[in-house]
Amino acid sequence: MLICTLDPRLPSNLDQNVPQYKRDFRRKYIYFRSQAAMRPVPGQCHIKVARNAIFEHSYNEVMRVPVSELKKRLMIKFDGEDGLDYGGVSREFFFLLSHEMFNPSYCLFEYSAHDTYTLQISPHSKINPEHLNYFRFIGRTMGLAIFHRRFLDAFFTSSFYKMILKKPITLEDMQSVDADIYRSLKWTLENDISEMGFTFTVDDDRFGERVEVELKPGGKDLDVTEENKKEFVQLSVQYRVCDRIKEQFEAFQAGFHELIPEDLIQVFDERELELLIGGLAEIDIEDWKKHTDYRGYTESDQVVQWFWKFVAEMDSEHQTRLMQFTTGTSRIPVNGFKDLQGSDGPRRFTVEKSGDIVALPKSHTCFNRIDLPPYPDYETLSTKLTLAIENTVGFGQE
C-alpha cells in the first residue's frame, strides 16, 4: 500500500484511531485542497444551459469561458428555471451532464469488457470529426467538477485512472479492455509459443477493416520467441490499452490539466482517484445480501452471518473500499447487485469458503468473489477483513 506518511508534503496531524487507508486518503486530500492551484478565485462564473440540450450547450459554454473564470464560484442556471445555485443546481448539472458525455451512443466512450457500467475511451471515436475537441471538453469538465468538489456519475476502467496518474499499465489492466485478448496474452506467457509463428504485430479492427499494426519498427519481420515474449505481451498491452486511444487521451488530458495540475493529482492512487471523481456509492446492504451466492458456505452459517454484520457496521467509505476490493470498482449497476457483471458475463457476488484461518481473505475481481476462510470468531474475521482491505497494494487482487 502507498504509505503517505513518507511524503514530506503531506500533513501528519490526523487522528491515529481511524484506519490506515482512511488516514492516507484524508492526508492526501487535505494536501490536495490546501494548494494554491486548487483554491477558488473571487467572483462568479455564470453558465446557462437547457436541460434538453445539456451536452451541446455545456460544450459551448465551458469551452467559451477562460479557465481563470471557471475557477470562480460556479453559478449554473437551467434555461427557463428560476432556481438559484447554492450548490444543488451545480450538483444536478454535473450529474446530468455526465450521463450525456459518457453515453456510448456518442461513440466517445464505450463500456468495458466486464460490464455495462464501467467506461473506457472508444478507439472508434474518430467517426466524429470533432472528437478531439469533445475529449478536451470532457477533460476540462472533469477537472471543473474536481476543482469545485462536485462528482460525476461515471466510473472508468482501472487503466483510465492509471493513465491520468501516469502509472504503468500491466497485463491485468487488459482484462477490462478486451477479455479475449487478455486470456490469449496470458496463455502466451504460460505456454511454449516457439512454433506458433507469432510476429511483433497485432490485427486491429478499424471500422470493419482488418489492419496489421507493428508493435515496434520492423515488427512484422521479428518472430516472437520464448526469450522475447514478455516484451511482445507488454507491447501488445500498451497498444491495446493506450496507443489506440493516444490522441483522444492526450486531448482529454490537456483539458483536465487546465484545472488540475499534474503533480497534484499524482498524490492519489487509482482507487482514490475513482472516489475523487465519482464519490462514494450508496450501497444497499439488503440488496447486496439478496443477490449473493455462496460456495462451501450457506447463508445461515455463522461465518456468513459475521461477514454481513461486519459489512453493516462499516461506514459508507469502508463499504465502498470493500466493493473495490472484491469487484474492482465502487460502481453499482443501476438495477442493483442483481446486474453485477464479471469478465464472462453476469456474475453475482460470491462468498467462497477458502483459505486457512491464519490467512487474510483474497478477492477475485473478475468473478466478483471473495475467498473467506472459516474464522473461529467475529473478532478474527473483522480484523482479517480490515487488514485485507487496508493493506493490499492498489487493491492488488488475484
Side-chain angles (χ1 to χ4, degrees):
M1 188 172 184
L2 191 139
I3 304 299
C4 301
T5 52
L6 301 179
D7 191 334
R9 297 176 300 174
L10 306 180
S12 58
N13 59 338
L14 292 180
D15 186 357
Q16 296 300 301
N17 293 321
V18 299
Q20 180 66 47
Y21 82 86
K22 191 179 275 191
R23 292 203 302 272
D24 289 346
F25 182 62
R26 286 181 181 175
R27 188 171 290 113
K28 295 174 189 180
Y29 188 80
I30 290 170
Y31 167 76
F32 179 73
R33 290 295 177 195
S34 69
Q35 300 308 293
M38 298 307 300
R39 294 173 193 160
V41 300
Q44 296 180 345
C45 176
H46 292 265
I47 292 177
K48 184 177 180 180
V49 297
R51 285 180 181 269
N52 62 359
I54 192 168
F55 191 8
E56 286 301 322
H57 283 195
S58 299
Y59 172 79
N60 292 332
E61 287 287 287
V62 171
M63 298 308 285
R64 172 187 62 82
V65 178
V67 172
S68 58
E69 289 292 308
L70 292 173
K71 292 186 175 184
K72 296 179 179 179
R73 179 183 172 182
L74 281 184
M75 300 297 289
I76 307 294
K77 182 173 175 58
F78 287 111
D79 196 21
E81 299 179 24
D82 295 328
L84 296 175
D85 190 0
Y86 293 106
V89 179
S90 61
R91 278 193 293 271
E92 185 180 11
F93 166 75
F94 283 111
F95 177 84
L96 296 174
L97 179 56
S98 59
H99 281 223
E100 286 296 299
M101 287 193 306
F102 305 117
N103 187 335
S105 65
Y106 289 114
C107 292
L108 298 173
F109 284 79
E110 62 185 13
Y111 293 125
S112 76
H114 277 184
D115 52 50
T116 55
Y117 44 86
T118 308
L119 295 155
Q120 59 193 7
I121 291 175
S122 171
H124 306 299
S125 66
K126 294 177 184 177
I127 197 169
N128 181 340
E130 294 294 316
H131 72 130
L132 296 183
N133 290 330
Y134 282 115
F135 278 112
R136 186 172 189 127
F137 158 69
I138 291 169
R140 185 183 273 201
T141 299
M142 186 177 288
L144 190 66
I146 292 173
F147 186 89
H148 289 286
R149 306 179 191 231
R150 298 291 181 256
F151 298 120
L152 299 177
D153 191 36
F155 293 80
F156 305 90
T157 58
S158 61
S159 58
F160 181 75
Y161 298 116
K162 288 171 81 171
M163 287 171 70
I164 292 175
L165 299 172
K166 295 191 179 302
K167 294 184 69 173
I169 302 299
T170 68
L171 175 58
E172 297 309 307
D173 295 312
M174 189 72 223
Q175 289 186 78
S176 58
V177 175
D178 192 312
D180 290 335
I181 291 177
Y182 165 75
R183 285 189 286 269
S184 174
L185 292 174
K186 195 170 178 63
W187 184 92
T188 298
L189 289 177
E190 295 170 350
N191 294 272
D192 188 338
I193 47 81
S194 302
E195 305 301 321
M196 298 298 294
F198 294 159
T199 60
F200 273 73
T201 61
V202 294
D203 287 333
D204 199 6
D205 180 5
R206 296 182 181 173
F207 305 106
E209 180 185 356
R210 219 61 173 156
V211 178
E212 184 182 67
V213 179
E214 290 188 323
L215 295 175
K216 58 191 299 185
K220 66 181 179 180
D221 299 316
L222 181 61
D223 292 332
V224 179
T225 65
E226 284 297 291
E227 289 71 32
N228 64 19
K229 68 180 183 180
K230 285 185 179 179
E231 181 190 11
F232 167 75
V233 168
Q234 185 54 46
L235 290 175
S236 296
V237 170
Q238 176 68 26
Y239 175 75
R240 296 285 182 185
V241 176
C242 305
D243 295 349
R244 287 197 307 165
I245 58 166
K246 186 173 185 289
E247 286 186 332
Q248 296 94 318
F249 184 76
E250 286 179 349
F252 162 84
Q253 202 172 31
F256 183 77
H257 288 312
E258 286 179 308
L259 285 131
I260 308 297
E262 185 177 315
D263 63 321
L264 291 188
I265 201 67
Q266 288 178 358
V267 76
F268 299 105
D269 66 27
E270 60 267 31
R271 294 304 180 199
E272 293 160 341
L273 180 57
E274 180 181 57
L275 297 181
L276 191 70
I277 293 170
L280 293 172
E282 212 172 294
I283 296 174
D284 184 335
I285 304 298
E286 289 306 312
D287 181 59
W288 193 353
K289 288 173 64 175
K290 181 180 177 182
H291 297 101
T292 292
D293 291 336
Y294 302 94
R295 291 183 184 175
Y297 288 122
T298 66
E299 190 174 359
S300 60
D301 284 342
Q302 186 64 69
V303 172
V304 172
Q305 297 296 311
W306 287 335
F307 173 77
W308 290 116
K309 179 176 184 283
F310 177 77
V311 174
E313 290 177 352
M314 291 175 166
D315 60 26
S316 59
E317 185 176 346
H318 217 144
Q319 289 172 355
T320 297
R321 287 281 184 162
L322 178 61
M323 275 287 294
Q324 290 178 325
F325 175 68
T326 53
T327 70
T329 178
S330 62
R331 179 67 160 166
I332 301 167
V334 174
N335 293 323
F337 283 88
K338 69 178 181 180
D339 283 350
L340 206 61
Q341 301 286 309
S343 61
D344 54 354
R347 178 73 69 162
R348 283 159 65 106
F349 181 80
T350 301
V351 178
E352 179 159 331
K353 186 177 183 179
S354 179
D356 191 276
I357 60 172
V358 300
L360 298 179
K362 292 182 180 179
S363 63
H364 305 264
T365 57
C366 288
F367 306 107
N368 301 324
R369 189 174 88 231
I370 184 169
D371 290 349
L372 189 66
Y375 296 119
D377 52 61
Y378 178 74
E379 289 70 26
T380 303
L381 179 142
S382 175
T383 300
K384 296 289 188 181
L385 262 174
T386 300
L387 284 171
I389 295 168
E390 293 178 10
N391 294 305
T392 49
V393 178
F395 295 89
Q397 313 86 335
E398 295 182 356

